[in-house]
Amino acid sequence: MKLATAARGLAAGLTAAAMVLLGPAGSATAATTTVDNATAGRFTASANWGTSSWAAQKNGADYRYATPYTGGSDAAWFSASVPAAGPHLVEVWYPADAGYNSATPFIVATSSGNQTVVVDQRANGGRWVGLGTFTLAAGDHPVVGISRWSTATGYVVADAVRITTATGGGSGFSLPLPKSALPRSEYDDPHHDYAAIDLPVGTGTRAYAVRAGTVTIINDSSCGQGVNLTGADGATYTYCHFSAWSVSNGATVTAGQQVGLTGNTGNSTGPHLHFGIRTGTTRRCPQNFLLALYDGVTPPAATSLPTSGCSYVSFGATKAEPLG
């Protein structure tokens, strides 16, 4: 049950200043290139990679597969012609199966070096799955690789990739989730026991950087897979319970860039995104910040956000919700 008094208090103080609110990473696009494993001259792999048409979720007539191997990468590569250097949304397509690999390394050849995103190929098959937004170099070259170097069991699969040139720059702010994922009413809910918020979305929902900054990877028993985003304002924006990361440790990101896929890792009782804001060691209530983003206005400064009044403990009430 929503606490109306708390919601009114959290919604207070929103500024009416205009801003440009970024949508999901890559929503404004200039060009899209799709490369299938069967596209002539665009896919290379060793003889260790077989060909199959068994899975119904495949893109095109078939896909490539290989057994995991820890003695080397032996990556299969998709090449593409990138017309201009800059940010690009990179997505992959694969059929999912319970017998496939749960930790498949996808390699993106960025302009600053290779970045690896681990994907669970037992889930989210038969659709485009975003690896993230990456700065790519111009020219015709291998862009996305699928490595066999995995300690998990089951085939690693290479099927198709899609590369979209992103426009709109990297300034401003973005909701941490697609706007279509949740109604506004979810962004003013108190947290269960301290200043933060739990946003109930299914596993595999894209999570975006709320503003530009630098990412530090989190992987522990509490947060699970997540990131700390140190914003340009010096505040720390924390994301927890990912099913997969979309960025590497130390990566510089822009607002609206995908940083992960939501999930249920760590101390969590159901799929959701845990989101928090800290200034120094002080936890801040993120609700006013998120409501402003949802409404398309400039969010309040992190240092001005309240430090209490946004948890059910504050009101002596409880709520059945995912823990995190």
Side-chain angles (χ1 to χ4, degrees):
M1 181 177 70
K2 194 171 299 299
L3 300 176
T5 302
R8 284 194 296 271
L10 291 169
L14 297 181
T15 176
M19 66 169 281
V20 177
L21 178 65
L22 298 181
S27 59
T29 61
T32 297
T33 300
T34 301
V35 183
D36 186 75
N37 74 92
T39 303
R42 302 282 85 184
F43 180 83
T44 57
S46 74
N48 296 316
W49 288 79
T51 303
S52 177
S53 59
W54 174 79
Q57 293 179 331
K58 61 185 177 293
N59 184 85
D62 55 31
Y63 54 95
R64 306 297 293 273
Y65 68 94
T67 56
Y69 175 63
T70 57
S73 180
D74 189 24
W77 283 93
F78 291 88
S79 294
S81 180
V82 179
H88 293 73
L89 174 65
V90 178
E91 300 168 286
V92 297
W93 184 293
Y94 56 86
D97 185 85
Y100 289 167
N101 196 277
S102 61
T104 299
F106 279 80
I107 307 164
V108 181
T110 76
S111 58
S112 58
N114 290 349
Q115 294 189 27
T116 300
V117 179
V118 176
V119 175
D120 181 359
Q121 293 194 302
R122 298 178 181 179
N124 303 317
R127 64 181 180 88
W128 291 109
V129 174
L131 298 184
T133 301
F134 304 87
T135 301
L136 304 182
D140 196 322
H141 54 84
V143 176
V144 180
I146 300 88
S147 173
R148 295 176 59 204
W149 201 325
S150 175
T151 57
T153 59
Y155 290 132
V156 296
V157 176
D159 194 351
V161 303
R162 185 166 71 179
I163 301 164
T164 302
T165 305
T167 62
S171 61
F173 300 90
S174 171
L175 275 169
L177 296 167
K179 193 169 186 179
S180 60
L182 291 172
R184 186 182 189 277
S185 58
E186 293 290 348
Y187 287 99
D188 66 8
D189 271 0
H191 190 242
H192 50 82
D193 62 351
Y194 59 87
I197 194 169
D198 288 334
L199 300 170
V201 288
T203 297
T205 304
R206 295 178 183 179
Y208 304 117
V210 293
R211 65 183 308 151
T214 303
V215 166
T216 302
I217 294 295
I218 304 171
N219 189 11
D220 60 34
S221 60
S222 179
C223 184
Q225 296 180 23
V227 298
N228 276 326
L229 168 62
T230 302
D233 59 345
T236 300
Y237 301 84
T238 299
Y239 301 68
C240 289
H241 312 309
F242 284 171
S243 59
W245 294 283
S246 300
V247 289
S248 59
N249 192 54
T252 299
V253 298
T254 57
Q257 181 171 334
Q258 183 174 317
V259 293
L261 297 174
T262 62
N264 191 31
T265 58
N267 187 18
S268 172
T269 59
H272 70 288
L273 175 67
H274 172 95
F275 181 79
I277 300 176
R278 284 185 291 108
T279 54
T281 59
T282 302
R283 288 187 175 124
R284 302 281 178 173
C285 294
Q287 285 81 355
N288 285 355
F289 183 89
L290 296 173
L291 288 168
L293 294 181
Y294 191 93
D295 292 338
V297 298
T298 303
T303 53
S304 73
L305 296 172
T307 59
S308 62
C310 60
S311 70
Y312 283 96
V313 171
S314 303
F315 307 108
T318 59
K319 178 187 179 184
E321 64 173 15
L323 175 67

